[in-house]
Amino acid sequence: MNVLVSLNKEKSLSRAARLAVSHALISDGRFSSGNSILTREQISSFISAAHRLDIRVIVRVDRLYDEDELDDLADYLRFLSGCQADGLLISDLAVWMLKEREELSLPCIYGPETLLTSSREIAQLKADGLEGCVISKEVPFRDVRAMAEANSGYCWLRLYGPSLLSVSKRRFISLYLEDEGEHADDYYLQEESRELMMPIIEKKAGSWLYGPTMHGLDAVREISVLPLCGVIFDGVFDRDEDVLKALQLHQQVLDGQLSEKEALKNLPDPDGRREYLSVLAVRDTVLNKEEA
């Protein structure tokens, strides 16, 4: 099974290769939702270094884009194609349509976070020609299993990473602080009635609010035998060392070297504020789209 891990530094590739990472996920900061920023020169160098280690590179191009950004976006896609990027992680179908128009060899993994909740939707994406998709984090595990089995070898599952709760064009922090700068590190939203600290990223393009970090330690054996295309370890707020540590802990549980409880105690918590939620604990959403 393929393993896609978000990375920020080229020097992390050698350790990723030792952990049998098949794909690295990177971003440029402008056309992505993440808080890491790689220049075009760094992206080109990263892709070349990854290919020397037989690691494929997926580029995060997962914002929602305005009409006046499409020409620049098309130019960026041509650049990625020229660098021999191996694919894109997208959340706006405009990206897929642009790469089709430009006749670029950039397979797209469609990951709209909360929208892919039924096997029928996934089958339609496959029929339309999209090369892969990411199952929503809000889907109960029994449905994840059914969706993967109904679309064998096509779906990706986020096995580790923060759950995205909302995306908005509104810049909440700037409005509150009357500060027009970007806010990507160490900002949290906390509701009055809850202790959970929810990290928030704000850029000129809008705001991304996250909830608990998902893990699959207690489901890793079941997930390993599903007919998935691959699993994703998306450490949006992690250092490379931390997200690779999370991957290693999942591998150790799968291999029987650690118990689930032992591994859970060792998951990254760099600021002492992180709350983890098992993929097995995800409940039914209000709307069952299979019956709608």
Side-chain angles (χ1 to χ4, degrees):
M1 184 184 296
N2 292 312
V3 178
L4 171 61
V5 177
S6 62
L7 296 175
N8 299 310
K9 299 177 181 177
E10 188 177 312
K11 67 180 182 180
S12 302
L13 285 167
S14 57
R15 186 183 175 199
R18 291 194 298 271
L19 290 172
V21 169
S22 61
H23 295 68
L25 178 65
I26 62 173
S27 61
D28 77 323
R30 178 184 177 189
F31 292 107
S32 69
S33 66
N35 60 347
S36 65
I37 298 175
L38 295 180
T39 65
R40 292 197 177 192
E41 181 180 357
Q42 289 172 323
I43 288 172
S44 179
S45 177
F46 189 104
I47 292 172
S48 296
H51 287 173
R52 289 194 293 270
L53 292 169
D54 200 28
I55 294 176
R56 286 162 281 180
V57 179
I58 305 297
V59 182
R60 193 195 303 267
V61 189
D62 61 345
R63 276 185 39 221
L64 300 176
Y65 304 97
D66 292 330
E67 189 70 24
D68 60 5
E69 295 181 283
L70 295 183
D71 287 343
D72 287 344
L73 178 58
D75 177 71
Y76 181 55
L77 297 183
R78 289 191 292 268
F79 161 74
L80 294 177
S81 179
C83 292
Q84 297 185 314
D86 298 286
L88 310 173
L89 177 65
I90 70 172
S91 58
D92 186 339
L93 289 174
V95 180
W96 177 64
M97 297 177 72
L98 274 178
K99 75 98 180 180
E100 290 285 291
R101 186 194 73 184
E102 298 288 327
E103 299 182 344
L104 303 174
S105 180
L106 288 169
C108 290
I109 303 171
Y110 183 45
E113 294 292 343
T114 62
L115 299 182
L116 292 183
T117 58
S118 86
S119 59
R120 295 176 188 175
E121 291 169 312
I122 292 172
Q124 186 60 55
L125 291 174
K126 190 174 181 180
D128 289 341
L130 274 155
E131 293 85 356
C133 73
V134 183
I135 297 174
S136 170
K137 296 175 187 173
E138 298 183 348
V139 174
F141 188 69
R142 65 175 182 275
D143 293 340
V144 169
R145 183 187 297 111
M147 293 161 72
E149 291 173 347
N151 298 276
S152 182
Y154 185 73
C155 300
W156 293 77
L157 177 68
R158 284 188 176 89
L159 192 55
Y160 172 88
S163 54
L164 183 61
L165 300 181
S166 73
V167 180
S168 175
K169 289 286 187 180
R170 187 179 296 272
R171 301 181 66 202
F172 296 104
I173 300 175
S174 294
L175 290 172
Y176 184 81
L177 298 180
E178 297 183 355
D179 177 2
E180 289 301 318
E182 295 196 355
H183 305 86
D185 296 311
D186 300 323
Y187 282 85
Y188 296 84
L189 186 151
Q190 184 178 22
E191 297 172 351
E192 278 188 305
S193 59
R194 303 177 67 194
E195 295 183 1
L196 175 63
M197 301 289 288
M198 297 180 288
I200 185 169
I201 291 175
E202 181 178 278
K203 301 181 180 184
K204 291 180 180 178
S207 304
W208 289 259
L209 176 65
Y210 294 84
T213 299
M214 309 298 293
H215 74 84
L217 293 171
D218 48 358
V220 68
R221 293 181 183 85
E222 295 175 77
I223 291 170
S224 69
V225 298
L226 290 177
L228 294 163
C229 184
V231 292
I232 301 173
F233 285 75
D234 192 357
V236 172
F237 300 101
D238 286 322
R239 301 174 305 158
D240 290 358
E241 296 85 351
D242 290 337
V243 70
L244 289 171
K245 177 182 178 181
L247 168 61
Q248 185 174 32
L249 288 169
H250 281 75
Q251 291 176 338
Q252 288 174 324
V253 171
L254 180 62
D255 295 339
Q257 299 174 25
L258 284 179
S259 70
E260 298 151 12
K261 290 184 178 180
E262 289 171 328
L264 183 59
K265 291 179 182 177
N266 288 292
L267 283 174
D269 189 10
D271 55 14
R273 296 175 174 177
R274 186 167 299 182
E275 181 173 311
Y276 280 98
L277 179 69
S278 166
V279 297
L280 294 181
V282 176
R283 297 172 294 182
D284 286 298
T285 53
V286 175
L287 176 64
N288 185 331
K289 297 175 82 171
E290 283 283 51
E291 297 175 359

